[in-house]
Amino acid sequence: MARKPLIVGNWKMNKTVTESISLIREIVDFLKREQNTEIAICPPFTSIWVARELLQDTNILLGAQNMYYKDEGAYTGEISAKMLQNIGCKFVILGHSERRIYFKESSQEIASKAKQAINYNLIPIICVGENLEERELNQANYIIQEQIKSVFEIFKMHDMEKVIFAYEPIWAIGTGKSATPEEANSMIKFIRALVREKYTEKIAEQIKILYGGSVNHNNINELMLKPDIDGALVGGASLNALTFSQLFNYNSRKY
């Protein structure tokens, strides 16, 4: 079964509501005829409502950048899966390296968030990745395996069918450096093998695994030609409608 590719724009802490309105309108105009690739944007929480309104009846899906693993309660400043579901989100990014590093989120906490997302019919995009030192010490596979193990410990087979992974080497995020297509595909193939070993061949073959880390129009084609790379989680290039739309011009022959 062919996996339909997905490109997700992660706006991070960028764009006011006013700026978001302008950007979304431009993206919709640029990509309204795109059918070969699923499209999603993940604006900041303050822009999610207006994004939902602007994306209705379009081919662009909505996601959030984070959430908490509790249903509700006295958790000042947090956002629940129920809230995201109610406002119209389909995806939620979890475990981004910036959450792991700056906000000290553990792999166990990220797995709990992902499980809660599934409970509310949200698709978690679970990010994993190693830093430069870990890669140079040949520890990358071990680091990725440890990050994913926390998900495997609490996810049943039917849960894993609803998950997306994103491999984001920390050393390539926002640095202008990108893993080579061969490096990215090799790690994504390794992640797929872990899923296969824990669950089934069918799940391993149907699960989408994205690449993220300085993705732009210059490297998207080579990345997307690799057999195990199913799309991209995009930061900086998603903050401009033209540069984001250029990502969808890749060669899609493998699909």
Side-chain angles (χ1 to χ4, degrees):
M1 180 178 67
R3 300 182 297 270
K4 187 171 184 178
L6 167 67
I7 294 179
V8 181
N10 176 18
W11 294 7
K12 306 189 180 183
M13 197 177 73
N14 294 289
K15 303 300 179 182
T16 63
V17 172
T18 305
E19 292 168 338
S20 297
I21 291 170
S22 175
L23 178 55
I24 291 168
R25 284 174 172 164
E26 290 179 356
I27 289 174
V28 168
D29 188 54
F30 272 119
L31 295 174
K32 58 190 175 187
R33 294 183 180 84
E34 176 58 46
Q35 297 180 337
N36 295 322
T37 305
E38 281 192 302
I39 312 163
I41 59 168
C42 298
F45 289 131
T46 50
S47 293
I48 287 181
W49 176 263
V50 73
R52 188 193 90 153
E53 295 298 295
L54 292 170
L55 295 178
Q56 287 190 74
D57 302 318
T58 75
N59 57 333
I60 300 173
L61 302 167
L62 181 62
Q65 298 176 25
N66 188 35
M67 50 159 270
Y68 198 46
Y69 57 84
K70 296 287 188 177
D71 283 327
E72 58 186 17
Y75 305 103
T76 300
E78 292 296 336
I79 300 291
S80 71
K82 182 179 181 180
M83 294 172 181
L84 296 181
Q85 178 201 51
N86 183 252
I87 207 170
C89 287
K90 179 172 181 177
F91 302 100
V92 58
I93 300 170
L94 299 171
H96 193 282
S97 63
E98 291 155 5
R99 299 297 312 177
R100 294 177 186 264
I101 295 169
Y102 301 144
F103 302 99
K104 312 303 179 187
E105 291 185 3
S106 67
S107 293
Q108 291 74 24
E109 183 179 2
I110 292 158
S112 296
K113 290 182 178 187
K115 178 67 171 175
Q116 181 74 338
I118 294 291
N119 292 341
Y120 281 89
N121 295 315
L122 295 168
I123 298 174
I125 301 174
I126 304 173
C127 302
V128 296
E130 81 284 359
N131 63 34
L132 184 58
E133 181 181 8
E134 290 161 345
R135 171 159 283 271
E136 290 178 342
L137 292 174
N138 294 317
Q139 296 176 344
N141 284 19
Y142 171 77
I143 296 299
I144 300 304
Q145 188 167 5
E146 285 299 296
Q147 290 173 347
I148 290 177
K149 184 170 72 173
S150 297
V151 176
F152 286 174
E153 287 174 351
I154 64 173
F155 270 49
K156 305 297 184 184
M157 194 174 299
H158 62 274
D159 296 324
M160 188 54 60
E161 293 174 348
K162 304 163 188 173
V163 167
I164 293 173
F165 282 110
Y167 170 56
E168 290 207 316
I170 297 170
W171 48 271
I173 298 173
T175 62
K177 298 178 181 179
S178 177
T180 67
E182 291 72 25
E183 289 171 331
N185 191 73
S186 177
M187 184 59 77
I188 288 173
K189 186 175 182 179
F190 173 68
I191 294 170
R192 203 176 299 284
L194 293 176
V195 174
R196 181 180 296 110
E197 182 179 348
K198 175 67 177 179
Y199 299 97
T200 66
E201 174 73 22
K202 180 181 177 182
I203 291 176
E205 288 306 311
Q206 75 180 34
I207 195 169
K208 290 181 185 178
I209 309 178
L210 315 180
Y211 170 74
S214 298
V215 176
N216 56 52
H217 69 280
N218 292 318
N219 58 22
I220 186 70
N221 193 60
E222 287 186 274
L223 289 165
M224 292 301 292
L225 282 172
K226 294 300 179 182
D228 280 284
I229 298 176
D230 302 315
L233 182 57
V234 184
S238 71
L239 299 177
N240 177 280
L242 177 60
T243 58
F244 189 54
S245 65
Q246 286 174 333
L247 300 177
F248 294 82
N249 296 328
Y250 65 88
N251 187 323
S252 59
R253 285 178 299 177
K254 72 176 179 179
Y255 301 103

PDB file of all heavy atoms in Angstrom, residues 218-252:
ATOM      1  N   ASN A 218      15.667  23.377  -2.285  1.00  0.00           N
ATOM      2  CA  ASN A 218      16.898  22.850  -2.898  1.00  0.00           C
ATOM      3  C   ASN A 218      17.142  21.381  -2.570  1.00  0.00           C
ATOM      4  O   ASN A 218      17.822  20.690  -3.332  1.00  0.00           O
ATOM      5  CB  ASN A 218      18.105  23.681  -2.446  1.00  0.00           C
ATOM      6  CG  ASN A 218      18.086  25.085  -3.009  1.00  0.00           C
ATOM      7  OD1 ASN A 218      17.776  25.290  -4.175  1.00  0.00           O
ATOM      8  ND2 ASN A 218      18.406  26.067  -2.171  1.00  0.00           N
ATOM      9  N   ASN A 219      16.624  20.909  -1.430  1.00  0.00           N
ATOM     10  CA  ASN A 219      16.910  19.522  -1.059  1.00  0.00           C
ATOM     11  C   ASN A 219      15.671  18.625  -1.008  1.00  0.00           C
ATOM     12  O   ASN A 219      15.786  17.412  -0.829  1.00  0.00           O
ATOM     13  CB  ASN A 219      17.658  19.453   0.282  1.00  0.00           C
ATOM     14  CG  ASN A 219      16.897  20.096   1.433  1.00  0.00           C
ATOM     15  OD1 ASN A 219      15.681  20.245   1.402  1.00  0.00           O
ATOM     16  ND2 ASN A 219      17.631  20.489   2.475  1.00  0.00           N
ATOM     17  N   ILE A 220      14.477  19.197  -1.165  1.00  0.00           N
ATOM     18  CA  ILE A 220      13.258  18.401  -1.014  1.00  0.00           C
ATOM     19  C   ILE A 220      13.164  17.282  -2.044  1.00  0.00           C
ATOM     20  O   ILE A 220      12.732  16.167  -1.738  1.00  0.00           O
ATOM     21  CB  ILE A 220      11.996  19.303  -1.077  1.00  0.00           C
ATOM     22  CG1 ILE A 220      10.737  18.500  -0.772  1.00  0.00           C
ATOM     23  CG2 ILE A 220      11.887  20.005  -2.431  1.00  0.00           C
ATOM     24  CD1 ILE A 220      10.602  18.051   0.649  1.00  0.00           C
ATOM     25  N   ASN A 221      13.594  17.530  -3.268  1.00  0.00           N
ATOM     26  CA  ASN A 221      13.452  16.515  -4.315  1.00  0.00           C
ATOM     27  C   ASN A 221      14.277  15.278  -4.002  1.00  0.00           C
ATOM     28  O   ASN A 221      13.776  14.146  -4.073  1.00  0.00           O
ATOM     29  CB  ASN A 221      13.853  17.086  -5.673  1.00  0.00           C
ATOM     30  CG  ASN A 221      13.419  16.181  -6.815  1.00  0.00           C
ATOM     31  OD1 ASN A 221      12.238  15.923  -6.981  1.00  0.00           O
ATOM     32  ND2 ASN A 221      14.373  15.691  -7.587  1.00  0.00           N
ATOM     33  N   GLU A 222      15.532  15.478  -3.640  1.00  0.00           N
ATOM     34  CA  GLU A 222      16.396  14.335  -3.317  1.00  0.00           C
ATOM     35  C   GLU A 222      15.882  13.572  -2.106  1.00  0.00           C
ATOM     36  O   GLU A 222      15.944  12.337  -2.063  1.00  0.00           O
ATOM     37  CB  GLU A 222      17.826  14.819  -3.060  1.00  0.00           C
ATOM     38  CG  GLU A 222      18.581  15.237  -4.300  1.00  0.00           C
ATOM     39  CD  GLU A 222      20.033  15.561  -3.972  1.00  0.00           C
ATOM     40  OE1 GLU A 222      20.322  16.705  -3.597  1.00  0.00           O
ATOM     41  OE2 GLU A 222      20.868  14.642  -4.066  1.00  0.00           O
ATOM     42  N   LEU A 223      15.372  14.304  -1.119  1.00  0.00           N
ATOM     43  CA  LEU A 223      14.833  13.644   0.069  1.00  0.00           C
ATOM     44  C   LEU A 223      13.621  12.791  -0.285  1.00  0.00           C
ATOM     45  O   LEU A 223      13.513  11.630   0.119  1.00  0.00           O
ATOM     46  CB  LEU A 223      14.450  14.680   1.127  1.00  0.00           C
ATOM     47  CG  LEU A 223      15.608  15.398   1.829  1.00  0.00           C
ATOM     48  CD1 LEU A 223      15.102  16.629   2.575  1.00  0.00           C
ATOM     49  CD2 LEU A 223      16.325  14.455   2.801  1.00  0.00           C
ATOM     50  N   MET A 224      12.720  13.362  -1.063  1.00  0.00           N
ATOM     51  CA  MET A 224      11.466  12.672  -1.352  1.00  0.00           C
ATOM     52  C   MET A 224      11.631  11.504  -2.330  1.00  0.00           C
ATOM     53  O   MET A 224      10.747  10.646  -2.428  1.00  0.00           O
ATOM     54  CB  MET A 224      10.447  13.671  -1.904  1.00  0.00           C
ATOM     55  CG  MET A 224       9.986  14.696  -0.874  1.00  0.00           C
ATOM     56  SD  MET A 224       9.225  13.957   0.578  1.00  0.00           S
ATOM     57  CE  MET A 224       7.723  13.304  -0.124  1.00  0.00           C
ATOM     58  N   LEU A 225      12.747  11.452  -3.028  1.00  0.00           N
ATOM     59  CA  LEU A 225      13.002  10.318  -3.908  1.00  0.00           C
ATOM     60  C   LEU A 225      13.459   9.078  -3.137  1.00  0.00           C
ATOM     61  O   LEU A 225      13.468   7.975  -3.687  1.00  0.00           O
ATOM     62  CB  LEU A 225      14.047  10.694  -4.964  1.00  0.00           C
ATOM     63  CG  LEU A 225      13.532  11.541  -6.129  1.00  0.00           C
ATOM     64  CD1 LEU A 225      14.683  12.012  -6.999  1.00  0.00           C
ATOM     65  CD2 LEU A 225      12.516  10.772  -6.957  1.00  0.00           C
ATOM     66  N   LYS A 226      13.822   9.258  -1.877  1.00  0.00           N
ATOM     67  CA  LYS A 226      14.260   8.117  -1.070  1.00  0.00           C
ATOM     68  C   LYS A 226      13.049   7.282  -0.658  1.00  0.00           C
ATOM     69  O   LYS A 226      12.010   7.821  -0.281  1.00  0.00           O
ATOM     70  CB  LYS A 226      15.030   8.597   0.164  1.00  0.00           C
ATOM     71  CG  LYS A 226      16.355   9.267  -0.175  1.00  0.00           C
ATOM     72  CD  LYS A 226      17.277   8.308  -0.920  1.00  0.00           C
ATOM     73  CE  LYS A 226      18.603   8.942  -1.298  1.00  0.00           C
ATOM     74  NZ  LYS A 226      19.465   8.028  -2.069  1.00  0.00           N
ATOM     75  N   PRO A 227      13.178   5.957  -0.693  1.00  0.00           N
ATOM     76  CA  PRO A 227      11.998   5.081  -0.546  1.00  0.00           C
ATOM     77  C   PRO A 227      11.325   5.113   0.816  1.00  0.00           C
ATOM     78  O   PRO A 227      10.128   4.842   0.912  1.00  0.00           O
ATOM     79  CB  PRO A 227      12.568   3.686  -0.843  1.00  0.00           C
ATOM     80  CG  PRO A 227      14.041   3.797  -0.589  1.00  0.00           C
ATOM     81  CD  PRO A 227      14.401   5.188  -0.982  1.00  0.00           C
ATOM     82  N   ASP A 228      12.059   5.436   1.869  1.00  0.00           N
ATOM     83  CA  ASP A 228      11.456   5.390   3.207  1.00  0.00           C
ATOM     84  C   ASP A 228      11.011   6.750   3.725  1.00  0.00           C
ATOM     85  O   ASP A 228      10.370   6.831   4.771  1.00  0.00           O
ATOM     86  CB  ASP A 228      12.425   4.742   4.202  1.00  0.00           C
ATOM     87  CG  ASP A 228      12.405   3.227   4.101  1.00  0.00           C
ATOM     88  OD1 ASP A 228      11.439   2.628   4.598  1.00  0.00           O
ATOM     89  OD2 ASP A 228      13.327   2.645   3.514  1.00  0.00           O
ATOM     90  N   ILE A 229      11.340   7.823   3.027  1.00  0.00           N
ATOM     91  CA  ILE A 229      10.967   9.168   3.474  1.00  0.00           C
ATOM     92  C   ILE A 229       9.585   9.517   2.915  1.00  0.00           C
ATOM     93  O   ILE A 229       9.391   9.558   1.707  1.00  0.00           O
ATOM     94  CB  ILE A 229      12.022  10.203   3.042  1.00  0.00           C
ATOM     95  CG1 ILE A 229      13.375   9.878   3.677  1.00  0.00           C
ATOM     96  CG2 ILE A 229      11.577  11.603   3.435  1.00  0.00           C
ATOM     97  CD1 ILE A 229      14.512  10.794   3.244  1.00  0.00           C
ATOM     98  N   ASP A 230       8.650   9.777   3.811  1.00  0.00           N
ATOM     99  CA  ASP A 230       7.254   9.964   3.413  1.00  0.00           C
ATOM    100  C   ASP A 230       6.796  11.409   3.439  1.00  0.00           C
ATOM    101  O   ASP A 230       5.599  11.688   3.302  1.00  0.00           O
ATOM    102  CB  ASP A 230       6.341   9.145   4.326  1.00  0.00           C
ATOM    103  CG  ASP A 230       6.680   7.667   4.286  1.00  0.00           C
ATOM    104  OD1 ASP A 230       6.885   7.140   3.178  1.00  0.00           O
ATOM    105  OD2 ASP A 230       6.755   7.045   5.353  1.00  0.00           O
ATOM    106  N   GLY A 231       7.716  12.331   3.634  1.00  0.00           N
ATOM    107  CA  GLY A 231       7.333  13.727   3.672  1.00  0.00           C
ATOM    108  C   GLY A 231       8.290  14.518   4.529  1.00  0.00           C
ATOM    109  O   GLY A 231       9.389  14.062   4.843  1.00  0.00           O
ATOM    110  N   ALA A 232       7.849  15.705   4.934  1.00  0.00           N
ATOM    111  CA  ALA A 232       8.754  16.603   5.644  1.00  0.00           C
ATOM    112  C   ALA A 232       8.013  17.390   6.713  1.00  0.00           C
ATOM    113  O   ALA A 232       6.847  17.761   6.540  1.00  0.00           O
ATOM    114  CB  ALA A 232       9.416  17.558   4.659  1.00  0.00           C
ATOM    115  N   LEU A 233       8.710  17.634   7.811  1.00  0.00           N
ATOM    116  CA  LEU A 233       8.276  18.572   8.840  1.00  0.00           C
ATOM    117  C   LEU A 233       9.160  19.797   8.675  1.00  0.00           C
ATOM    118  O   LEU A 233      10.373  19.730   8.849  1.00  0.00           O
ATOM    119  CB  LEU A 233       8.428  17.954  10.229  1.00  0.00           C
ATOM    120  CG  LEU A 233       7.966  18.793  11.420  1.00  0.00           C
ATOM    121  CD1 LEU A 233       6.513  19.197  11.288  1.00  0.00           C
ATOM    122  CD2 LEU A 233       8.185  18.029  12.723  1.00  0.00           C
ATOM    123  N   VAL A 234       8.535  20.912   8.303  1.00  0.00           N
ATOM    124  CA  VAL A 234       9.270  22.068   7.801  1.00  0.00           C
ATOM    125  C   VAL A 234       9.125  23.252   8.749  1.00  0.00           C
ATOM    126  O   VAL A 234       8.012  23.585   9.155  1.00  0.00           O
ATOM    127  CB  VAL A 234       8.731  22.467   6.398  1.00  0.00           C
ATOM    128  CG1 VAL A 234       9.553  23.606   5.814  1.00  0.00           C
ATOM    129  CG2 VAL A 234       8.717  21.265   5.467  1.00  0.00           C
ATOM    130  N   GLY A 235      10.248  23.888   9.071  1.00  0.00           N
ATOM    131  CA  GLY A 235      10.221  25.063   9.920  1.00  0.00           C
ATOM    132  C   GLY A 235      10.251  26.347   9.121  1.00  0.00           C
ATOM    133  O   GLY A 235       9.231  26.834   8.638  1.00  0.00           O
ATOM    134  N   GLY A 236      11.444  26.910   8.958  1.00  0.00           N
ATOM    135  CA  GLY A 236      11.605  28.221   8.351  1.00  0.00           C
ATOM    136  C   GLY A 236      10.963  28.375   6.988  1.00  0.00           C
ATOM    137  O   GLY A 236      10.367  29.412   6.676  1.00  0.00           O
ATOM    138  N   ALA A 237      11.052  27.349   6.154  1.00  0.00           N
ATOM    139  CA  ALA A 237      10.506  27.443   4.801  1.00  0.00           C
ATOM    140  C   ALA A 237       8.987  27.494   4.783  1.00  0.00           C
ATOM    141  O   ALA A 237       8.394  27.810   3.745  1.00  0.00           O
ATOM    142  CB  ALA A 237      10.992  26.268   3.954  1.00  0.00           C
ATOM    143  N   SER A 238       8.335  27.215   5.918  1.00  0.00           N
ATOM    144  CA  SER A 238       6.873  27.255   5.960  1.00  0.00           C
ATOM    145  C   SER A 238       6.343  28.627   6.352  1.00  0.00           C
ATOM    146  O   SER A 238       5.130  28.837   6.381  1.00  0.00           O
ATOM    147  CB  SER A 238       6.339  26.209   6.944  1.00  0.00           C
ATOM    148  OG  SER A 238       6.619  26.567   8.296  1.00  0.00           O
ATOM    149  N   LEU A 239       7.239  29.567   6.646  1.00  0.00           N
ATOM    150  CA  LEU A 239       6.826  30.894   7.098  1.00  0.00           C
ATOM    151  C   LEU A 239       6.624  31.880   5.950  1.00  0.00           C
ATOM    152  O   LEU A 239       6.303  33.045   6.180  1.00  0.00           O
ATOM    153  CB  LEU A 239       7.856  31.452   8.084  1.00  0.00           C
ATOM    154  CG  LEU A 239       8.047  30.630   9.369  1.00  0.00           C
ATOM    155  CD1 LEU A 239       9.147  31.232  10.228  1.00  0.00           C
ATOM    156  CD2 LEU A 239       6.743  30.535  10.146  1.00  0.00           C
ATOM    157  N   ASN A 240       6.807  31.393   4.746  1.00  0.00           N
ATOM    158  CA  ASN A 240       6.602  32.193   3.545  1.00  0.00           C
ATOM    159  C   ASN A 240       5.824  31.343   2.550  1.00  0.00           C
ATOM    160  O   ASN A 240       6.183  30.188   2.307  1.00  0.00           O
ATOM    161  CB  ASN A 240       7.950  32.621   2.952  1.00  0.00           C
ATOM    162  CG  ASN A 240       7.820  33.383   1.661  1.00  0.00           C
ATOM    163  OD1 ASN A 240       7.632  32.794   0.596  1.00  0.00           O
ATOM    164  ND2 ASN A 240       7.923  34.709   1.738  1.00  0.00           N
ATOM    165  N   ALA A 241       4.754  31.879   2.007  1.00  0.00           N
ATOM    166  CA  ALA A 241       3.880  31.081   1.142  1.00  0.00           C
ATOM    167  C   ALA A 241       4.605  30.562  -0.097  1.00  0.00           C
ATOM    168  O   ALA A 241       4.388  29.426  -0.525  1.00  0.00           O
ATOM    169  CB  ALA A 241       2.658  31.900   0.739  1.00  0.00           C
ATOM    170  N   LEU A 242       5.477  31.375  -0.680  1.00  0.00           N
ATOM    171  CA  LEU A 242       6.183  30.948  -1.877  1.00  0.00           C
ATOM    172  C   LEU A 242       7.159  29.818  -1.566  1.00  0.00           C
ATOM    173  O   LEU A 242       7.164  28.796  -2.261  1.00  0.00           O
ATOM    174  CB  LEU A 242       6.916  32.123  -2.519  1.00  0.00           C
ATOM    175  CG  LEU A 242       7.757  31.783  -3.751  1.00  0.00           C
ATOM    176  CD1 LEU A 242       6.883  31.181  -4.853  1.00  0.00           C
ATOM    177  CD2 LEU A 242       8.494  33.025  -4.266  1.00  0.00           C
ATOM    178  N   THR A 243       7.996  29.997  -0.543  1.00  0.00           N
ATOM    179  CA  THR A 243       8.984  28.955  -0.233  1.00  0.00           C
ATOM    180  C   THR A 243       8.299  27.671   0.226  1.00  0.00           C
ATOM    181  O   THR A 243       8.786  26.571  -0.067  1.00  0.00           O
ATOM    182  CB  THR A 243       9.982  29.433   0.830  1.00  0.00           C
ATOM    183  OG1 THR A 243       9.273  29.822   2.031  1.00  0.00           O
ATOM    184  CG2 THR A 243      10.798  30.612   0.334  1.00  0.00           C
ATOM    185  N   PHE A 244       7.167  27.789   0.918  1.00  0.00           N
ATOM    186  CA  PHE A 244       6.434  26.586   1.334  1.00  0.00           C
ATOM    187  C   PHE A 244       5.848  25.888   0.115  1.00  0.00           C
ATOM    188  O   PHE A 244       5.969  24.661  -0.030  1.00  0.00           O
ATOM    189  CB  PHE A 244       5.333  26.970   2.321  1.00  0.00           C
ATOM    190  CG  PHE A 244       4.653  25.791   2.972  1.00  0.00           C
ATOM    191  CD1 PHE A 244       5.382  24.812   3.629  1.00  0.00           C
ATOM    192  CD2 PHE A 244       3.264  25.663   2.938  1.00  0.00           C
ATOM    193  CE1 PHE A 244       4.751  23.722   4.239  1.00  0.00           C
ATOM    194  CE2 PHE A 244       2.623  24.592   3.537  1.00  0.00           C
ATOM    195  CZ  PHE A 244       3.366  23.621   4.184  1.00  0.00           C
ATOM    196  N   SER A 245       5.250  26.635  -0.776  1.00  0.00           N
ATOM    197  CA  SER A 245       4.617  26.024  -1.947  1.00  0.00           C
ATOM    198  C   SER A 245       5.643  25.373  -2.874  1.00  0.00           C
ATOM    199  O   SER A 245       5.344  24.373  -3.536  1.00  0.00           O
ATOM    200  CB  SER A 245       3.803  27.065  -2.718  1.00  0.00           C
ATOM    201  OG  SER A 245       4.635  28.074  -3.266  1.00  0.00           O
ATOM    202  N   GLN A 246       6.865  25.901  -2.888  1.00  0.00           N
ATOM    203  CA  GLN A 246       7.907  25.322  -3.747  1.00  0.00           C
ATOM    204  C   GLN A 246       8.283  23.903  -3.322  1.00  0.00           C
ATOM    205  O   GLN A 246       8.795  23.126  -4.127  1.00  0.00           O
ATOM    206  CB  GLN A 246       9.143  26.218  -3.724  1.00  0.00           C
ATOM    207  CG  GLN A 246       8.980  27.511  -4.510  1.00  0.00           C
ATOM    208  CD  GLN A 246      10.168  28.448  -4.339  1.00  0.00           C
ATOM    209  OE1 GLN A 246      10.861  28.411  -3.320  1.00  0.00           O
ATOM    210  NE2 GLN A 246      10.395  29.288  -5.335  1.00  0.00           N
ATOM    211  N   LEU A 247       8.014  23.560  -2.074  1.00  0.00           N
ATOM    212  CA  LEU A 247       8.356  22.227  -1.582  1.00  0.00           C
ATOM    213  C   LEU A 247       7.527  21.140  -2.260  1.00  0.00           C
ATOM    214  O   LEU A 247       7.915  19.968  -2.257  1.00  0.00           O
ATOM    215  CB  LEU A 247       8.148  22.145  -0.067  1.00  0.00           C
ATOM    216  CG  LEU A 247       8.974  23.107   0.790  1.00  0.00           C
ATOM    217  CD1 LEU A 247       8.600  22.951   2.258  1.00  0.00           C
ATOM    218  CD2 LEU A 247      10.468  22.865   0.593  1.00  0.00           C
ATOM    219  N   PHE A 248       6.397  21.521  -2.833  1.00  0.00           N
ATOM    220  CA  PHE A 248       5.486  20.535  -3.404  1.00  0.00           C
ATOM    221  C   PHE A 248       5.791  20.239  -4.870  1.00  0.00           C
ATOM    222  O   PHE A 248       5.053  19.490  -5.521  1.00  0.00           O
ATOM    223  CB  PHE A 248       4.038  21.017  -3.230  1.00  0.00           C
ATOM    224  CG  PHE A 248       3.617  21.087  -1.786  1.00  0.00           C
ATOM    225  CD1 PHE A 248       3.957  22.193  -1.009  1.00  0.00           C
ATOM    226  CD2 PHE A 248       2.942  20.035  -1.189  1.00  0.00           C
ATOM    227  CE1 PHE A 248       3.601  22.251   0.331  1.00  0.00           C
ATOM    228  CE2 PHE A 248       2.584  20.092   0.143  1.00  0.00           C
ATOM    229  CZ  PHE A 248       2.911  21.198   0.912  1.00  0.00           C
ATOM    230  N   ASN A 249       6.897  20.784  -5.365  1.00  0.00           N
ATOM    231  CA  ASN A 249       7.289  20.539  -6.754  1.00  0.00           C
ATOM    232  C   ASN A 249       8.268  19.390  -6.891  1.00  0.00           C
ATOM    233  O   ASN A 249       8.901  19.230  -7.934  1.00  0.00           O
ATOM    234  CB  ASN A 249       7.905  21.821  -7.344  1.00  0.00           C
ATOM    235  CG  ASN A 249       6.935  22.970  -7.426  1.00  0.00           C
ATOM    236  OD1 ASN A 249       5.735  22.768  -7.625  1.00  0.00           O
ATOM    237  ND2 ASN A 249       7.429  24.187  -7.224  1.00  0.00           N
ATOM    238  N   TYR A 250       8.399  18.579  -5.837  1.00  0.00           N
ATOM    239  CA  TYR A 250       9.350  17.469  -5.888  1.00  0.00           C
ATOM    240  C   TYR A 250       8.879  16.404  -6.882  1.00  0.00           C
ATOM    241  O   TYR A 250       7.701  16.328  -7.260  1.00  0.00           O
ATOM    242  CB  TYR A 250       9.504  16.836  -4.501  1.00  0.00           C
ATOM    243  CG  TYR A 250       8.253  16.179  -3.962  1.00  0.00           C
ATOM    244  CD1 TYR A 250       7.968  14.853  -4.250  1.00  0.00           C
ATOM    245  CD2 TYR A 250       7.345  16.905  -3.200  1.00  0.00           C
ATOM    246  CE1 TYR A 250       6.823  14.253  -3.792  1.00  0.00           C
ATOM    247  CE2 TYR A 250       6.187  16.306  -2.730  1.00  0.00           C
ATOM    248  CZ  TYR A 250       5.933  14.985  -3.027  1.00  0.00           C
ATOM    249  OH  TYR A 250       4.769  14.405  -2.567  1.00  0.00           O
ATOM    250  N   ASN A 251       9.809  15.535  -7.272  1.00  0.00           N
ATOM    251  CA  ASN A 251       9.505  14.423  -8.171  1.00  0.00           C
ATOM    252  C   ASN A 251       8.786  13.342  -7.363  1.00  0.00           C
ATOM    253  O   ASN A 251       9.351  12.779  -6.438  1.00  0.00           O
ATOM    254  CB  ASN A 251      10.799  13.879  -8.773  1.00  0.00           C
ATOM    255  CG  ASN A 251      10.550  12.830  -9.846  1.00  0.00           C
ATOM    256  OD1 ASN A 251       9.643  12.030  -9.743  1.00  0.00           O
ATOM    257  ND2 ASN A 251      11.368  12.851 -10.872  1.00  0.00           N
ATOM    258  N   SER A 252       7.562  13.030  -7.754  1.00  0.00           N
ATOM    259  CA  SER A 252       6.749  12.101  -6.968  1.00  0.00           C
ATOM    260  C   SER A 252       6.609  10.735  -7.612  1.00  0.00           C
ATOM    261  O   SER A 252       5.654  10.019  -7.375  1.00  0.00           O
ATOM    262  CB  SER A 252       5.354  12.707  -6.735  1.00  0.00           C
ATOM    263  OG  SER A 252       4.723  12.961  -7.981  1.00  0.00           O
TER     264      SER A 252
END
